[in-house]
Amino acid sequence: MSSSRSRRVEYDRFIPFRSAMDMDYARFALTGPSRPQRDGSRESPSSVAYQKLLDDCILKNRSRILAFKTAPEAPASKLPQFDEPIRPQKKQQRRIPKEPERVLVIHGLLDDNVLNLLDWGSNNVLAIGLEDAVYLWHAANESTKLLQPVEDRGPITCIRWSPDCAVLAVAFGNSDLDLIDPATGHVVDGMEDENQAPVLSLAWRSNSILTVGRFDGTVVDYDFRKDDMFICFYNGHRRGLCSLKWSVLSGRYLASGGQDKLVHIWDACMPVSCHHPRQRQWLHRISSHTSIVKAVDWCPTQSYLLASGGGCNDHCIKFWNTVNGACLNSIDAGSEVCALLWDKNKSELLTSHGSPNNQLTLWNYPSMTRVAEVSGHSSRVLSLAGSPLGGVVASAAADEIVRYVVGNIAMGSFVVSKRQYIFIQAHGFEIFKYERNRLR
Protein backbone atom coordinates (compact mmCIF):
# COMPACT_ATOMS: atom_id res chain seq x y z
CA MET A 1 0.00 0.00 0.00
CA SER A 2 1.36 3.23 -1.06
CA SER A 3 1.11 6.16 1.21
CA SER A 4 0.88 9.73 0.00
CA ARG A 5 3.29 12.15 1.60
CA SER A 6 3.77 15.79 0.94
CA ARG A 7 6.84 16.52 -0.96
CA ARG A 8 8.74 19.80 -1.17
CA VAL A 9 9.49 20.70 -4.72
CA GLU A 10 13.00 22.07 -5.23
CA TYR A 11 13.72 24.31 -8.17
CA ASP A 12 17.09 25.17 -9.59
CA ARG A 13 16.24 28.81 -10.19
CA PHE A 14 14.00 31.66 -8.89
CA ILE A 15 11.27 32.87 -11.21
CA PRO A 16 9.78 36.29 -10.24
CA PHE A 17 6.04 36.85 -10.13
CA ARG A 18 5.19 39.84 -12.30
CA SER A 19 1.76 40.19 -10.69
CA ALA A 20 3.40 40.77 -7.32
CA MET A 21 5.84 43.37 -8.62
CA ASP A 22 5.38 47.14 -8.81
CA MET A 23 6.75 47.88 -12.25
CA ASP A 24 6.77 51.66 -11.71
CA TYR A 25 8.89 51.32 -8.58
CA ALA A 26 11.16 48.79 -10.34
CA ARG A 27 11.78 51.25 -13.17
CA PHE A 28 12.46 54.03 -10.64
CA ALA A 29 14.88 51.84 -8.65
CA LEU A 30 16.79 50.81 -11.77
CA THR A 31 17.02 54.17 -13.54
CA GLY A 32 16.90 56.67 -10.65
CA PRO A 33 20.01 58.05 -8.95
CA SER A 34 21.31 55.94 -6.12
CA ARG A 35 20.76 57.29 -2.62
CA PRO A 36 23.90 57.76 -0.54
CA GLN A 37 24.20 55.70 2.59
CA ARG A 38 22.87 57.67 5.55
CA ASP A 39 24.75 57.97 8.80
CA GLY A 40 22.02 57.82 11.44
CA SER A 41 24.33 58.99 14.19
CA ARG A 42 24.83 62.35 12.47
CA GLU A 43 21.19 63.01 11.63
CA SER A 44 18.69 64.71 13.87
CA PRO A 45 15.88 62.60 15.33
CA SER A 46 13.30 64.58 13.38
CA SER A 47 15.11 63.85 10.06
CA VAL A 48 15.32 60.14 10.80
CA ALA A 49 11.63 60.02 11.75
CA TYR A 50 10.66 61.88 8.56
CA GLN A 51 12.64 59.44 6.37
CA LYS A 52 11.03 56.45 8.08
CA LEU A 53 7.56 57.92 7.55
CA LEU A 54 8.41 58.59 3.89
CA ASP A 55 9.58 55.00 3.36
CA ASP A 56 6.45 53.63 5.06
CA CYS A 57 3.94 55.72 3.15
CA ILE A 58 5.49 56.11 -0.31
CA LEU A 59 8.02 53.32 -0.81
CA LYS A 60 6.28 50.91 1.59
CA ASN A 61 9.68 49.80 2.91
CA ARG A 62 10.54 48.10 -0.36
CA SER A 63 14.19 47.25 -0.88
CA ARG A 64 13.90 44.59 -3.64
CA ILE A 65 13.02 45.05 -7.26
CA LEU A 66 11.88 41.48 -7.97
CA ALA A 67 9.15 39.65 -6.06
CA PHE A 68 9.08 35.85 -5.81
CA LYS A 69 5.82 35.45 -3.97
CA THR A 70 2.66 37.40 -3.43
CA ALA A 71 2.95 39.67 -0.45
CA PRO A 72 0.12 39.53 2.10
CA GLU A 73 -2.22 42.46 2.16
CA ALA A 74 -1.53 45.01 4.85
CA PRO A 75 -4.20 45.42 7.52
CA ALA A 76 -6.51 48.35 6.96
CA SER A 77 -5.50 49.92 10.28
CA LYS A 78 -1.87 50.18 9.14
CA LEU A 79 -2.57 51.73 5.77
CA PRO A 80 -1.58 55.43 5.62
CA GLN A 81 -4.57 57.73 5.71
CA PHE A 82 -3.92 61.02 3.94
CA ASP A 83 -7.49 62.30 4.02
CA GLU A 84 -7.91 62.35 7.80
CA PRO A 85 -8.73 65.84 9.08
CA ILE A 86 -6.15 67.50 11.29
CA ARG A 87 -7.49 67.73 14.80
CA PRO A 88 -6.85 71.13 16.35
CA GLN A 89 -4.96 71.03 19.61
CA LYS A 90 -6.85 72.08 22.67
CA LYS A 91 -5.98 75.67 23.49
CA GLN A 92 -4.31 76.01 26.85
CA GLN A 93 -6.39 78.13 29.14
CA ARG A 94 -4.62 81.23 30.37
CA ARG A 95 -4.66 81.92 34.09
CA ILE A 96 -4.74 85.55 35.14
CA PRO A 97 -5.05 85.97 38.91
CA LYS A 98 -7.81 88.18 40.25
CA GLU A 99 -5.93 88.76 43.48
CA PRO A 100 -2.23 89.43 44.12
CA GLU A 101 -0.01 86.46 44.86
CA ARG A 102 2.16 88.23 47.45
CA VAL A 103 1.76 91.38 49.55
CA LEU A 104 4.41 93.66 51.02
CA VAL A 105 3.26 96.14 53.65
CA ILE A 106 5.57 99.18 53.87
CA HIS A 107 5.69 102.10 56.27
CA GLY A 108 7.54 105.01 54.73
CA LEU A 109 6.33 104.92 51.11
CA LEU A 110 5.35 108.50 50.26
CA ASP A 111 1.88 109.19 48.85
CA ASP A 112 2.88 111.44 45.96
CA ASN A 113 1.95 110.71 42.36
CA VAL A 114 4.90 112.67 40.92
CA LEU A 115 7.55 110.48 42.58
CA ASN A 116 9.08 107.32 41.09
CA LEU A 117 9.84 104.93 43.94
CA LEU A 118 9.66 101.49 42.32
CA ASP A 119 12.03 99.87 39.78
CA TRP A 120 12.80 96.29 38.76
CA GLY A 121 16.30 95.88 37.31
CA SER A 122 17.65 93.44 34.72
CA ASN A 123 19.41 91.66 37.61
CA ASN A 124 15.94 90.56 38.83
CA VAL A 125 16.14 92.76 41.93
CA LEU A 126 13.21 94.97 42.88
CA ALA A 127 14.14 98.34 44.42
CA ILE A 128 11.62 100.18 46.61
CA GLY A 129 12.26 103.77 47.70
CA LEU A 130 11.10 104.50 51.23
CA GLU A 131 11.25 107.87 52.96
CA ASP A 132 14.97 107.69 53.75
CA ALA A 133 16.09 104.19 52.67
CA VAL A 134 16.01 101.84 49.69
CA TYR A 135 14.77 98.31 50.13
CA LEU A 136 16.07 95.61 47.73
CA TRP A 137 14.30 92.30 47.13
CA HIS A 138 16.11 89.58 45.12
CA ALA A 139 13.46 87.62 43.23
CA ALA A 140 15.82 84.71 42.45
CA ASN A 141 16.58 83.69 46.03
CA GLU A 142 13.96 85.81 47.84
CA SER A 143 16.58 87.57 49.94
CA THR A 144 16.35 91.18 51.06
CA LYS A 145 18.77 94.02 51.66
CA LEU A 146 18.49 97.52 53.04
CA LEU A 147 20.43 100.46 51.58
CA GLN A 148 20.37 103.36 53.99
CA PRO A 149 22.11 106.44 52.55
CA VAL A 150 23.27 109.47 54.50
CA GLU A 151 20.42 110.96 56.51
CA ASP A 152 19.04 114.50 56.64
CA ARG A 153 18.92 114.99 52.89
CA GLY A 154 15.17 114.95 52.56
CA PRO A 155 12.96 112.08 51.40
CA ILE A 156 13.92 109.87 48.46
CA THR A 157 12.13 111.16 45.35
CA CYS A 158 13.25 108.76 42.61
CA ILE A 159 15.21 105.53 42.09
CA ARG A 160 16.39 103.92 38.84
CA TRP A 161 18.63 100.95 37.99
CA SER A 162 21.31 101.41 35.35
CA PRO A 163 20.91 99.11 32.29
CA ASP A 164 23.65 96.77 33.52
CA CYS A 165 22.49 97.14 37.16
CA ALA A 166 26.02 98.04 38.25
CA VAL A 167 24.63 101.06 40.11
CA LEU A 168 21.31 102.29 41.47
CA ALA A 169 20.59 106.00 41.01
CA VAL A 170 18.88 107.51 44.06
CA ALA A 171 17.58 111.12 44.15
CA PHE A 172 16.82 113.07 47.34
CA GLY A 173 14.61 115.98 48.26
CA ASN A 174 17.57 118.33 48.76
CA SER A 175 18.55 117.92 45.04
CA ASP A 176 21.36 115.43 45.74
CA LEU A 177 21.82 112.44 43.45
CA ASP A 178 23.78 109.31 44.45
CA LEU A 179 24.95 106.36 42.37
CA ILE A 180 25.07 103.44 44.81
CA ASP A 181 26.78 100.10 44.34
CA PRO A 182 24.08 97.58 45.38
CA ALA A 183 26.64 94.97 46.39
CA THR A 184 28.49 97.13 48.93
CA GLY A 185 25.95 99.91 49.56
CA HIS A 186 28.65 102.53 48.97
CA VAL A 187 28.19 105.69 46.92
CA VAL A 188 30.45 105.45 43.84
CA ASP A 189 29.46 108.76 42.21
CA GLY A 190 26.85 111.50 42.36
CA MET A 191 26.01 115.18 42.35
CA GLU A 192 25.40 117.76 45.06
CA ASP A 193 23.90 121.12 44.16
CA GLU A 194 21.57 122.90 46.56
CA ASN A 195 20.76 125.53 43.92
CA GLN A 196 19.02 122.95 41.71
CA ALA A 197 15.40 121.87 42.03
CA PRO A 198 14.71 118.38 43.42
CA VAL A 199 14.84 115.43 41.01
CA LEU A 200 11.49 113.77 40.24
CA SER A 201 12.34 111.37 37.40
CA LEU A 202 15.36 109.53 35.99
CA ALA A 203 16.07 107.62 32.78
CA TRP A 204 19.32 105.94 31.74
CA ARG A 205 20.27 106.42 28.10
CA SER A 206 23.30 104.13 28.54
CA ASN A 207 25.33 102.72 31.41
CA SER A 208 27.06 106.07 31.89
CA ILE A 209 24.63 108.72 30.60
CA LEU A 210 21.70 109.59 32.87
CA THR A 211 18.77 111.88 32.00
CA VAL A 212 17.45 113.84 34.98
CA GLY A 213 14.06 115.55 35.26
CA ARG A 214 13.57 118.12 38.00
CA PHE A 215 10.72 119.82 39.81
CA ASP A 216 11.11 123.08 37.83
CA GLY A 217 10.68 121.33 34.46
CA THR A 218 14.40 121.09 33.65
CA VAL A 219 15.62 118.00 31.77
CA VAL A 220 19.39 117.45 31.66
CA ASP A 221 21.77 114.74 30.38
CA TYR A 222 24.80 113.91 32.54
CA ASP A 223 27.81 111.76 31.59
CA PHE A 224 29.42 110.43 34.76
CA ARG A 225 32.62 109.44 32.95
CA LYS A 226 33.64 113.08 32.47
CA ASP A 227 34.78 115.77 34.87
CA ASP A 228 32.27 118.14 33.25
CA MET A 229 29.26 115.83 33.53
CA PHE A 230 26.77 118.23 31.92
CA ILE A 231 26.02 117.29 28.28
CA CYS A 232 22.86 119.14 27.28
CA PHE A 233 19.44 120.17 28.53
CA TYR A 234 15.98 119.85 26.98
CA ASN A 235 13.89 123.00 26.87
CA GLY A 236 10.11 122.56 26.85
CA HIS A 237 8.41 121.80 30.17
CA ARG A 238 7.26 124.53 32.53
CA ARG A 239 6.56 122.41 35.65
CA GLY A 240 7.78 119.21 37.30
CA LEU A 241 8.85 116.15 35.28
CA CYS A 242 6.84 113.12 36.40
CA SER A 243 8.13 110.62 33.84
CA LEU A 244 11.11 110.12 31.52
CA LYS A 245 11.47 107.15 29.15
CA TRP A 246 14.03 106.45 26.43
CA SER A 247 12.77 104.35 23.50
CA VAL A 248 13.57 100.68 24.01
CA LEU A 249 14.34 99.68 20.42
CA SER A 250 16.21 102.63 18.96
CA GLY A 251 17.46 104.47 22.02
CA ARG A 252 17.13 107.65 20.00
CA TYR A 253 13.87 109.14 21.21
CA LEU A 254 13.03 110.43 24.68
CA ALA A 255 9.47 110.83 25.98
CA SER A 256 8.66 113.08 28.93
CA GLY A 257 5.44 113.73 30.83
CA GLY A 258 4.92 116.49 33.35
CA GLN A 259 2.73 118.35 35.76
CA ASP A 260 2.10 120.93 33.04
CA LYS A 261 -0.16 118.34 31.28
CA LEU A 262 2.31 118.12 28.38
CA VAL A 263 4.04 115.20 26.69
CA HIS A 264 7.22 115.95 24.76
CA ILE A 265 9.05 113.72 22.31
CA TRP A 266 12.73 114.50 21.82
CA ASP A 267 15.08 113.28 19.08
CA ALA A 268 18.65 112.88 20.33
CA CYS A 269 19.92 113.02 16.73
CA MET A 270 18.16 116.28 15.87
CA PRO A 271 20.63 119.07 14.93
CA VAL A 272 21.08 121.78 17.57
CA SER A 273 21.42 125.52 17.11
CA CYS A 274 24.97 126.86 16.73
CA HIS A 275 24.08 129.62 19.21
CA HIS A 276 22.93 127.07 21.83
CA PRO A 277 24.86 123.87 21.11
CA ARG A 278 23.88 122.27 24.43
CA GLN A 279 20.16 122.99 24.20
CA ARG A 280 17.79 120.56 22.52
CA GLN A 281 14.38 121.46 21.15
CA TRP A 282 11.44 119.08 21.26
CA LEU A 283 10.41 117.14 18.17
CA HIS A 284 6.69 116.93 19.07
CA ARG A 285 4.70 118.65 21.79
CA ILE A 286 1.46 116.90 22.83
CA SER A 287 -1.04 119.01 24.73
CA SER A 288 -4.26 116.98 24.47
CA HIS A 289 -4.18 115.65 28.05
CA THR A 290 -6.16 117.65 30.60
CA SER A 291 -4.30 116.53 33.72
CA ILE A 292 -0.87 115.53 34.99
CA VAL A 293 0.89 112.96 32.79
CA LYS A 294 2.99 110.41 34.65
CA ALA A 295 2.05 107.23 32.77
CA VAL A 296 4.33 107.09 29.69
CA ASP A 297 5.87 104.02 28.06
CA TRP A 298 7.29 102.95 24.68
CA CYS A 299 6.03 99.88 22.84
CA PRO A 300 8.72 97.15 22.96
CA THR A 301 7.90 95.88 19.44
CA GLN A 302 7.10 99.07 17.47
CA SER A 303 9.73 101.77 17.79
CA TYR A 304 7.42 104.61 16.74
CA LEU A 305 4.55 103.78 19.15
CA LEU A 306 4.16 105.63 22.46
CA ALA A 307 1.39 105.28 25.04
CA SER A 308 0.47 107.94 27.61
CA GLY A 309 -2.13 108.18 30.36
CA GLY A 310 -3.74 111.20 32.02
CA GLY A 311 -4.37 111.91 35.70
CA CYS A 312 -7.47 112.41 37.82
CA ASN A 313 -9.21 114.93 35.51
CA ASP A 314 -8.30 113.15 32.28
CA HIS A 315 -8.87 109.36 32.57
CA CYS A 316 -7.62 108.82 28.98
CA ILE A 317 -5.08 106.42 27.48
CA LYS A 318 -3.68 107.76 24.22
CA PHE A 319 -1.43 106.21 21.57
CA TRP A 320 0.93 108.30 19.48
CA ASN A 321 2.83 107.91 16.23
CA THR A 322 6.10 109.56 17.18
CA VAL A 323 7.17 109.95 13.54
CA ASN A 324 4.52 112.58 12.75
CA GLY A 325 3.05 113.21 16.23
CA ALA A 326 -0.42 111.94 15.27
CA CYS A 327 -2.80 110.43 17.82
CA LEU A 328 -3.60 106.86 16.75
CA ASN A 329 -6.25 106.10 19.37
CA SER A 330 -7.73 107.45 22.59
CA ILE A 331 -9.94 105.64 25.08
CA ASP A 332 -11.55 106.62 28.36
CA ALA A 333 -10.27 104.28 31.10
CA GLY A 334 -12.90 105.49 33.58
CA SER A 335 -10.48 106.64 36.28
CA GLU A 336 -7.11 108.25 36.89
CA VAL A 337 -4.26 106.54 35.00
CA CYS A 338 -1.33 106.53 37.43
CA ALA A 339 1.09 104.18 35.65
CA LEU A 340 1.33 102.31 32.37
CA LEU A 341 3.42 99.31 31.30
CA TRP A 342 3.69 97.44 28.00
CA ASP A 343 3.91 93.66 28.14
CA LYS A 344 7.23 92.36 26.82
CA ASN A 345 5.82 89.13 25.38
CA LYS A 346 2.34 89.95 24.11
CA SER A 347 0.50 92.82 22.45
CA GLU A 348 -0.97 93.91 25.76
CA LEU A 349 -0.87 96.89 28.04
CA LEU A 350 -1.16 97.09 31.83
CA THR A 351 -2.42 100.25 33.54
CA SER A 352 -2.85 101.17 37.19
CA HIS A 353 -5.66 103.43 38.37
CA GLY A 354 -7.03 105.53 41.19
CA SER A 355 -10.50 105.78 42.67
CA PRO A 356 -13.09 104.40 42.69
CA ASN A 357 -11.63 100.90 42.15
CA ASN A 358 -7.84 101.38 42.49
CA GLN A 359 -7.34 98.46 40.12
CA LEU A 360 -4.85 97.13 37.61
CA THR A 361 -6.32 96.69 34.13
CA LEU A 362 -4.86 94.51 31.38
CA TRP A 363 -5.73 95.66 27.85
CA ASN A 364 -5.38 93.93 24.50
CA TYR A 365 -3.74 96.12 21.86
CA PRO A 366 -4.87 97.41 19.37
CA SER A 367 -8.48 96.42 20.09
CA MET A 368 -8.19 97.88 23.64
CA THR A 369 -10.59 95.33 25.06
CA ARG A 370 -10.24 94.57 28.76
CA VAL A 371 -8.55 91.19 29.27
CA ALA A 372 -8.61 91.22 33.07
CA GLU A 373 -8.74 93.42 36.15
CA VAL A 374 -6.82 92.89 39.39
CA SER A 375 -7.92 94.60 42.58
CA GLY A 376 -6.67 94.66 46.14
CA HIS A 377 -5.24 98.10 46.86
CA SER A 378 -7.30 100.41 49.05
CA SER A 379 -5.93 103.59 47.46
CA ARG A 380 -4.58 104.67 44.08
CA VAL A 381 -1.82 102.53 42.57
CA LEU A 382 1.12 104.90 42.20
CA SER A 383 3.74 102.79 40.42
CA LEU A 384 4.24 99.68 38.30
CA ALA A 385 7.43 97.68 37.67
CA GLY A 386 7.79 94.65 35.42
CA SER A 387 10.20 91.75 35.82
CA PRO A 388 13.07 91.46 33.30
CA LEU A 389 11.50 88.50 31.45
CA GLY A 390 7.93 89.73 31.73
CA GLY A 391 4.90 87.99 33.19
CA VAL A 392 5.41 89.31 36.72
CA VAL A 393 4.42 92.82 37.84
CA ALA A 394 4.88 94.66 41.13
CA SER A 395 2.55 97.53 42.04
CA ALA A 396 2.94 100.10 44.82
CA ALA A 397 0.06 102.12 46.22
CA ALA A 398 -0.58 104.98 48.61
CA ASP A 399 -1.84 102.43 51.15
CA GLU A 400 1.86 101.57 51.71
CA ILE A 401 1.43 98.15 50.12
CA VAL A 402 3.44 96.53 47.30
CA ARG A 403 1.68 93.63 45.62
CA TYR A 404 3.08 90.99 43.26
CA VAL A 405 0.82 89.85 40.46
CA VAL A 406 2.14 86.68 38.78
CA GLY A 407 0.84 83.62 36.98
CA ASN A 408 1.30 80.30 38.76
CA ILE A 409 4.56 81.30 40.52
CA ALA A 410 4.77 81.90 44.25
CA MET A 411 7.13 84.82 44.70
CA GLY A 412 7.36 85.34 48.48
CA SER A 413 6.33 88.18 50.73
CA PHE A 414 7.79 90.42 53.38
CA VAL A 415 6.46 92.96 55.85
CA VAL A 416 8.07 96.19 57.02
CA SER A 417 7.21 97.72 60.37
CA LYS A 418 8.52 100.93 61.90
CA ARG A 419 11.15 99.25 64.07
CA GLN A 420 12.08 96.12 62.20
CA TYR A 421 12.00 94.45 58.80
CA ILE A 422 10.46 91.00 58.70
CA PHE A 423 10.89 88.74 55.66
CA ILE A 424 8.65 85.70 55.31
CA GLN A 425 9.78 83.01 52.88
CA ALA A 426 7.27 81.49 50.48
CA HIS A 427 8.16 77.90 51.41
CA GLY A 428 8.47 77.16 55.13
CA PHE A 429 7.46 80.59 56.46
CA GLU A 430 10.73 81.30 58.25
CA ILE A 431 10.94 84.77 59.75
CA PHE A 432 14.05 86.94 59.63
CA LYS A 433 14.23 90.28 61.44
CA TYR A 434 16.40 93.23 60.46
CA GLU A 435 16.60 95.85 63.20
CA ARG A 436 16.83 99.47 62.20
CA ASN A 437 18.28 102.28 64.30
CA ARG A 438 16.14 105.13 63.08
CA LEU A 439 13.10 105.56 60.84
CA ARG A 440 11.57 108.96 60.55
Side-chain angles (χ1 to χ4, degrees), residues 7 10 62 98 138 157 172 314 435:
R7 284 193 264 171
E10 301 288 343
R62 289 173 294 191
K98 298 297 183 181
H138 298 255
T157 58
F172 300 89
D314 188 292
E435 294 294 337

Side-chain angles (χ1 to χ4, degrees), residues 219-419:
V219 183
V220 183
D221 278 351
Y222 294 99
D223 190 343
F224 289 91
R225 298 169 297 182
K226 301 178 180 179
D227 293 335
D228 182 13
M229 296 185 294
F230 174 77
I231 301 177
C232 63
F233 71 92
Y234 302 80
N235 184 23
H237 285 280
R238 299 185 294 267
R239 295 182 62 190
L241 265 296
C242 305
S243 180
L244 287 172
K245 289 288 181 69
W246 282 99
S247 56
V248 179
L249 298 178
S250 66
R252 172 179 174 177
Y253 298 99
L254 173 68
S256 61
Q259 291 179 299
D260 52 8
K261 309 174 187 178
L262 297 176
V263 176
H264 284 97
I265 300 170
W266 317 79
D267 185 356
C269 298
M270 178 181 288
V272 296
S273 171
C274 59
H275 301 290
H276 303 282
R278 291 193 171 189
Q279 177 178 332
R280 294 193 180 276
Q281 186 63 23
W282 43 264
L283 176 65
H284 299 295
R285 169 176 280 181
I286 299 170
S287 58
S288 60
H289 283 289
T290 59
S291 186
I292 179 178
V293 182
K294 182 190 176 185
V296 173
D297 198 18
W298 293 91
C299 178
T301 59
Q302 302 180 51
S303 59
Y304 66 89
L305 182 59
L306 176 73
S308 63
C312 57
N313 296 324
D314 188 292
H315 302 175
C316 288
I317 304 173
K318 298 179 182 292
F319 299 89
W320 307 94
N321 184 335
T322 56
V323 176
N324 54 20
C327 181
L328 302 177
N329 192 11
S330 178
I331 66 164
D332 188 347
S335 60
E336 173 186 6
V337 183
C338 302
L340 182 150
L341 191 67
W342 283 96
D343 191 283
K344 298 178 181 179
N345 305 316
K346 300 181 180 67
S347 296
E348 293 177 343
L349 190 72
L350 182 69
T351 55
S352 67
H353 299 268
S355 59
N357 297 324
N358 308 309
Q359 83 281 9
L360 305 183
T361 303
L362 184 64
W363 308 82
N364 179 275
Y365 183 84
S367 65
M368 293 308 293
T369 56
R370 284 180 170 88
V371 179
E373 287 191 353
V374 180
S375 59
H377 286 290
S378 60
S379 60
R380 60 179 179 175
V381 186
L382 300 173
S383 302
L384 292 176
S387 63
L389 299 180
V392 184
V393 176
S395 62
D399 55 5
E400 297 185 329
I401 292 179
V402 176
R403 299 177 184 269
Y404 297 92
V405 182
V406 298
N408 297 317
I409 305 174
M411 297 294 294
S413 64
F414 47 100
V415 180
V416 181
S417 67
K418 287 198 174 185
R419 291 297 302 173

Side-chain angles (χ1 to χ4, degrees), residues 39 45 51 68 122 128 132 153 164 253 311 313 330 429:
D39 186 359
Q51 186 61 43
F68 302 96
S122 59
I128 307 165
D132 59 352
R153 294 196 291 175
D164 59 0
Y253 298 99
N313 296 324
S330 178
F429 298 97

